[in-house]
Every structure is written in structure tokens, then in C-alpha cells.
Amino acid sequence: NAGVMQNPRHLVRRRGQEARLRCSPMKGHSHVYWYRQLPEEGLKFMVYLQKENIIDESGMPKERFSAEFPKEGPSILRIQQVVRGDSAAYFCASSIEGAGTGELFFGEGSRLTVL
Amino acid sequence: AQSVAQPEDQVNVAEGNPLTVKCTYSVSGNPYLFWYVQYPNRGLQFLLKYITGDNLVKGSYGFEAEFNKSQTSFHLKKPSALVSDSALYFCAVRGYTGANNLFFGTGTRLTVIP
């Protein structure tokens, strides 16, 4: 059973470009979470999704960031018009029963560098 | 608001000695608490959780954590540290009552010295 798959593992963008990060949850998992890890900081919750629904986006910046988890295919975190401050590691996690009582399974992250 | 605090950015311990990584929490309602570990350039891995029941929770790789309600703490412990335990450790708490997202502390870097 493959784990949480994230791609690309490394992404370089110039300021103003768009970044798309993809996450395929573990088989049978319908809960997906995105976290951002900045250098020397902890993980910051961004968004929690279930299939076709955004459940909690309280950690998402109000502009330029969006996330989706379509009925078919991976979850996508999209960052428009990237700025240098967006450089970070973005982690996706999935769970079978929700994070409250179950454990999260994390991918290995997508490291975004904005030049 | 739900939050956790990890007061130590760095903990150093000699191999074979007991280790403790500290975590305190602030929640409304019953706390659901978790510990995760992150090895270099990898995602986080679940270690253990406290939902209810015994205050001493046992987890992976010989780790355990003690829930202390009066001190609002959930410290991670191991009786005998290994060099391979060197990693970044995160304490986490569930969001608002009934939520399904976790909020993580800032992490503690554990270094086990041979």
C-alpha cells in the first residue's frame, strides 16, 4: 500500500509565476490536510479537505492560495503569483477517519523555492 | 483557541541516558494530544496519541508520553536514548472540539550524542 505521494518534490519558480503542488492520499483515505513548514519554524495548518469539499481553510492566506480535492485525482494546492515569502516545504497528510482520533500519514513534502 | 507549546528548541542527551521532550497544551474541552517525529528531508511520522484512558501512553520505537491534566503537559519520554532517535519532534493538539485538524508546536530538535 503506497504511502502519501507528493509531487513535485522540488519546485523552483520565479516571482509572479504559479506553483501547483499535488498530493495523492493513501488508498482508502478521504481526509486530506495541507501544512506549510517554514525554515526554523514548525508546521502551520493551512487547509483540510474531503472529497470535493473544503472543510476548514482557516490557515490559508486569503489571497493567491487555493486548494481542491476533486472526486477523481489528487488534491492540488495552488499558489498564484508566488513571492519569495512562499518559499517553504509544503506537506500533505491524509487520514482514514479524521485527524481528531486517528493518526495522520504524511508525504515527504514539496519544497518550493521562489527566486 | 487550541495550542501547544514546546519550550525547548534543542535538547541534547547522551546515548543510553533517559530523554524528555516537553510539551504543554491549552485547549477548551477534552484534549486530544499527539507526538510526531520528523527525520531530515522526510515527512512527519506518528509516534503516539492520548485520547482518553491511562495517563501513560506507549508508542512506537520505545517512546512514551505522560498526560498530566493538572500541569497541562504531555511530555515525551524514552528510558534509554539511541543515536538514531536524533530528529525533530512535534507535539500536536486537535483543533476546536469536534474538529478534525491538528495544530502543531514549533518542534524540538533532539540530538543524541554517542
Side-chain angles (χ1 to χ4, degrees), chain B residues 27-110:
Chain B
V27 301
S28 54
N30 295 324
Y32 285 21
L33 297 159
F34 304 80
W35 276 101
Y36 283 77
V37 60
Q38 185 182 29
Y39 298 101
N41 298 315
R42 303 296 297 275
L44 276 68
Q45 296 178 30
F46 170 82
L47 276 180
L48 52 79
K49 66 182 178 184
Y50 172 83
I51 304 295
T52 185
D54 290 342
N55 289 342
L56 186 63
V57 179
K58 295 190 181 297
S60 306
Y61 312 121
F63 284 93
E64 58 189 26
E66 185 170 9
F67 171 67
N68 188 316
K69 187 173 183 178
S70 62
Q71 297 185 3
T72 62
S73 66
F74 189 57
H75 300 333
L76 182 70
K77 300 180 180 183
K78 187 173 182 179
S80 179
L82 301 173
V83 173
S84 58
D85 292 330
S86 298
L88 191 57
Y89 290 81
F90 291 95
C91 182
V93 65
R94 190 183 68 174
Y96 61 85
T97 302
N100 279 305
N101 53 324
L102 293 185
F103 290 90
F104 288 81
T106 52
T108 299
R109 187 166 300 281
L110 173 69

Side-chain angles (χ1 to χ4, degrees), chain A residues 60-80:
Chain A
M60 288 276 274
K62 293 292 185 286
E63 298 178 348
R64 303 188 297 109
F65 284 73
S66 62
E68 63 177 9
F69 188 18
K71 185 177 181 180
E72 301 290 338
S75 175
I76 306 287
L77 180 67
R78 181 184 180 200
I79 312 172
Q80 296 178 289

Side-chain angles (χ1 to χ4, degrees), chain A residues 45-114:
Chain A
F45 168 76
M46 298 182 75
V47 62
Y48 162 44
L49 311 102
Q50 293 186 29
K51 282 288 187 180
E52 300 185 275
N53 288 303
I54 297 175
I55 308 302
D56 183 348
E57 57 181 349
S58 58
M60 288 276 274
K62 293 292 185 286
E63 298 178 348
R64 303 188 297 109
F65 284 73
S66 62
E68 63 177 9
F69 188 18
K71 185 177 181 180
E72 301 290 338
S75 175
I76 306 287
L77 180 67
R78 181 184 180 200
I79 312 172
Q80 296 178 289
Q81 300 174 355
V82 297
V83 301
R84 287 206 174 124
D86 296 333
S87 295
Y90 292 85
F91 288 94
C92 172
S94 72
S95 69
I96 195 168
E97 60 183 36
T101 55
E103 63 185 88
L104 297 183
F105 292 83
F106 280 81
E108 296 196 337
S110 292
R111 283 158 181 80
L112 172 65
T113 301
V114 179

